[in-house]
Amino acid sequence: MDTARLNRWLLGPAVKPVLFLACLLPVLWLIYATASDQLGANPAEALIRSTGDWTLRMLCLVLAVTPLRIQFKLPALARLRRMLGLFVFAYAVLHLLCYAWLDMGLEPGDIARDIAKRPFILVGFTAFVLLTLLAATSWNRAIRALGAVRWQALHRLVYAVAVLAVLHFFWMRAGKNNFAEVQVYAGVLGLLLGWRLWRLWSGQRPRTAVGQARIDQGPR
Amino acid sequence: MLIKTRDDGFAHPVPSEITPQEVYQDRRQLMRLMAGGAAGAVLASWATRDARAQMPAPGASLPGRKSAVSGASTVEKLTDFKDASGYNNFYEFGMDKSDPARNAHTLKTTPWTVAIEGLVKKPGNYALEDLLKLSAMEERIYRMRCVEGWSMVIPWVGYSVAELIKKVEPLGSAKYVEFVTLADKKTMPYVGSRVLDWPYVEGLRMDEAMHPLTLLTFGMYGEVLPKQNGAPLRLVVPWKYGFKSGKSLVKIRFTDKQPATAWSVAAPQEYGFYSNVNPLVDHPRWSQAAERRIGEDGLFAKKRKTLMFNGYEPQVGQLYAGMDLKKYY
């Protein structure tokens, strides 16, 4: 397909609302399935696991934006990145909420003890804290206040989030040597992070921070 | 249950309480049962043994008389048959809880023999038909606590595995019993996956195996076991985490060494040989202090407290007197 046309299409007014609704579909389905008793014999477990799955999927999506944008010369993709990033955070919030409520009965003491005691919970919670930092600095005034360079440095934490998220999932599955799904997410995220390393090492310097920030804010 | 209230019976009918069609149509047998009382019940189960042996297909009626064993009939609300037969860990048929119900139809349960081996006077291959006749079927309503933190209440049908053990006469040197389950690549699609070493092996100490609560199980909810629940025969050890209860048994071996059980080989830091239900000893990745009762505890309800030995402490506590249960988890 003609990239110039695709790019123009991506700049169209419908793209953002459509993407927003598409990202909302999983949570709408989960609400519907919970209400209509379609989550099987253990709905609590199903909710905790699927919100975790969707956090990982959203993370894959948001980290695919820059590689796709550069490899396929689609600068228009950049304006979708913030929304996707906020959806990662939103699903992470739901995941944490499901764990805290359905598994721990919203007992602050129990939750704190669980986080401190269990490495895989601690790793997941650390990823959540980092995501909170990123979400809290995702709006325009925060970007301006930090300055583009510092903002970009801070938001590279998303790479750490990706590593922690895969580790969290790996550890959760480790007891049963059930790594098939873990490998899929590790593979996708590894590819996306590997692409960035490859760009760095092969001397193709990433775009300057200021230029990046300008693109992220979208066309005015 | 000794005292029936209006809350029982019709309010919560369960398949095991409904007279099977075959039974009410067989009037003579029914009259013998009524006339003979308790003795009649035994007679009736003896009288039907051949009929049962001929129809071990999952779903066929397999009634059990009320058990006299202490702790064998909890009065808690039964888990729905749909959940007990649709939410299973049976990794030979897939890792997802809904996989066994979907995939286990390929399992061939007839003919079926169980090899008795090792330190025993009467080794040999025992046909399923003979095992079905070996002792009177009893209904045992047990709590089932999975190591993953959920639980069910299931009416099993079978007899104490001690009955079989006594028949085959283990030698004095036999200290453990190993239970080996089927690992047939042709009928079990996930045998060969890297999750575990196959076949799935479980084991008990001799005194645990001889405990009357340890059930050699052929049915549940008054019916022959569904394939996804371990047809045609499985073990049920109600005071241990569910994975200790091997499904679709093909070999029972008497040994003087502690068997290398599947999960304790796959993840020794997480699963020990004993694996008694114990709220005080956490799994490394989650607490074992509480559990969610499937189909009963609401989504937002707090989980219920897990009981020591799954509530069977009065019956089995003395088996572990003086043992450090943190060390022997």
Side-chain angles (χ1 to χ4, degrees):
Chain A
M1 177 147 173
D2 176 4
T3 46
R5 260 177 61 198
L6 181 58
N7 213 28
R8 243 190 337 268
W9 183 81
L10 283 169
L11 288 171
V15 170
K16 270 192 173 182
V18 167
L19 183 69
F20 183 83
L21 285 177
C23 290
L24 216 52
L25 280 181
V27 66
L28 292 178
W29 156 250
L30 286 174
I31 292 169
Y32 168 74
T34 307
S36 58
D37 197 17
Q38 288 185 53
L39 289 175
N42 196 344
E45 184 192 66
L47 284 173
I48 294 170
R49 292 193 178 175
S50 31
T51 50
D53 287 346
W54 282 107
T55 308
L56 272 170
R57 286 168 199 157
M58 289 293 160
L59 194 56
C60 292
L61 267 185
V62 74
L63 284 170
V65 168
T66 300
L68 290 178
R69 171 172 66 82
I70 292 175
Q71 268 337 100
F72 297 99
K73 301 192 170 55
L74 293 169
L77 280 177
R79 73 192 189 104
L80 306 176
R81 194 172 67 166
R82 172 160 51 188
M83 190 208 295
L84 288 171
L86 285 170
F87 266 109
V88 178
F89 178 65
Y91 278 98
V93 168
L94 288 176
H95 184 49
L96 179 70
L97 193 67
C98 284
Y99 154 80
W101 197 347
L102 309 182
D103 208 38
M104 305 307 290
L106 280 184
E107 284 285 331
D110 287 357
I111 296 167
R113 263 190 301 281
D114 208 45
I115 291 171
K117 193 170 176 183
R118 293 172 217 293
F120 99 100
I121 303 273
L122 180 64
V123 164
F125 189 72
T126 308
F128 175 79
V129 170
L130 297 184
L131 275 177
T132 309
L133 273 180
L134 303 193
T137 55
S138 64
W139 40 304
N140 290 344
R141 274 180 55 193
I143 299 171
R144 270 196 293 277
L146 278 169
V149 176
R150 260 182 301 171
W151 183 88
Q152 189 176 26
L154 176 68
H155 278 246
R156 287 208 167 108
L157 280 176
V158 72
Y159 306 147
V161 170
V163 172
L164 291 171
V166 168
L167 183 61
H168 172 68
F169 193 35
F170 171 87
W171 236 329
M172 200 274 276
R173 291 285 174 89
K176 296 199 168 172
N177 297 321
N178 180 16
F179 299 127
E181 278 179 79
V182 183
Q183 280 165 358
V184 172
Y185 290 108
V188 171
L189 290 170
L191 196 73
L192 297 173
L193 298 187
W195 177 88
R196 289 167 166 86
L197 284 178
W198 166 74
R199 288 237 324 149
L200 196 67
W201 283 335
S202 64
Q204 306 178 44
R205 301 282 308 155
R207 200 176 288 279
T208 63
V210 175
Q212 176 94 49
R214 197 169 290 147
I215 284 169
D216 290 342
Q217 287 168 36
R220 291 293 154 116
Chain B
M1 190 184 312
L2 291 174
I3 301 163
K4 289 264 178 197
T5 69
R6 231 171 281 178
D7 296 327
D8 308 308
F10 285 108
H12 304 288
V14 293
S16 59
E17 289 177 0
I18 299 167
T19 310
Q21 196 176 2
E22 299 92 304
V23 174
Y24 80 74
Q25 282 178 343
D26 194 341
R27 289 182 297 271
R28 274 169 294 184
Q29 186 191 315
L30 192 62
M31 286 172 73
R32 192 193 299 147
L33 187 83
M34 308 261 282
V42 179
L43 258 176
S45 80
W46 172 82
T48 54
R49 60 190 183 154
D50 282 335
R52 267 189 274 129
Q54 282 156 15
M55 46 171 200
S61 165
L62 183 65
R65 62 174 179 170
K66 211 174 149 58
S67 176
V69 171
S70 160
S73 305
T74 175
V75 295
E76 288 157 278
K77 183 178 179 294
L78 297 185
T79 300
D80 282 350
F81 177 82
K82 169 176 71 70
D83 288 340
S85 61
Y87 188 77
N88 308 98
N89 282 320
F90 197 169
Y91 287 172
E92 285 83 339
F93 294 107
M95 300 281 299
D96 198 85
K97 298 281 194 304
S98 55
D99 284 344
R102 207 173 19 246
N103 298 332
H105 61 90
T106 51
L107 178 69
K108 206 166 157 285
T109 55
T110 48
W112 193 278
T113 56
V114 178
I116 306 282
E117 292 182 2
L119 306 171
V120 65
K121 277 194 198 129
K122 295 180 179 168
N125 291 317
Y126 288 69
L128 178 64
E129 290 74 8
D130 299 326
L131 292 171
L132 280 162
K133 286 185 277 190
L134 190 130
S135 187
M137 290 289 164
E138 294 181 8
E139 181 165 80
R140 306 273 186 97
I141 304 172
Y142 286 161
R143 289 177 288 278
M144 207 281 290
R145 168 64 155 81
C146 179
V147 73
E148 298 167 344
W150 50 268
S151 62
M152 296 185 180
V153 177
I154 301 177
W156 302 105
V157 181
Y159 51 78
S160 298
V161 74
E163 301 295 334
L164 172 63
I165 295 176
K166 280 183 242 163
K167 282 260 173 10
V168 300
E169 298 178 36
L171 305 178
S173 52
K175 299 282 179 273
Y176 295 91
V177 191
E178 184 179 274
F179 297 90
V180 183
T181 70
L182 183 69
D184 176 22
K185 279 193 179 166
K186 289 200 292 294
T187 57
M188 301 172 130
Y190 288 84
V191 167
S193 71
R194 291 177 309 158
V195 181
L196 291 164
D197 292 339
W198 310 100
Y200 188 86
V201 173
E202 257 311 331
L204 295 172
R205 220 167 53 189
M206 187 60 104
D207 57 346
E208 297 176 325
M210 287 298 289
H211 194 281
L213 281 175
T214 305
L215 193 69
L216 193 62
T217 308
F218 300 86
M220 62 186 222
Y221 297 83
E223 295 177 355
V224 170
L225 280 175
K227 289 180 176 176
Q228 63 270 29
N229 290 82
L233 81 163
R234 63 171 295 172
L235 204 65
V236 176
V237 193
W239 71 93
K240 292 176 180 282
Y241 294 119
F243 70 88
K244 289 296 291 180
S245 301
K247 301 184 178 82
S248 304
L249 301 175
V250 291
K251 192 191 287 183
I252 298 175
R253 206 166 67 87
F254 294 82
T255 153
D256 53 357
K257 288 182 197 65
Q258 182 173 299
T261 55
W263 281 113
S264 69
V265 168
Q269 72 287 0
E270 302 200 354
Y271 309 100
F273 173 78
Y274 285 94
S275 291
N276 292 313
V277 175
N278 188 340
L280 305 175
V281 178
D282 280 351
H283 185 279
R285 284 178 290 125
W286 56 84
S287 162
Q288 294 292 31
E291 67 199 47
R292 172 169 278 107
R293 184 64 53 83
I294 295 294
E296 195 175 340
D297 296 344
L299 190 56
F300 298 106
K302 282 198 78 163
K303 296 201 279 187
R304 62 182 67 200
K305 292 226 175 319
T306 289
L307 304 172
M308 188 67 200
F309 296 115
N310 203 20
Y312 297 98
E313 190 169 18
Q315 289 83 26
V316 302
Q318 81 283 356
L319 293 177
Y320 310 100
M323 265 177 77
D324 179 356
L325 296 175
K326 278 201 159 55
K327 187 175 168 208
Y328 297 101
Y329 57 94

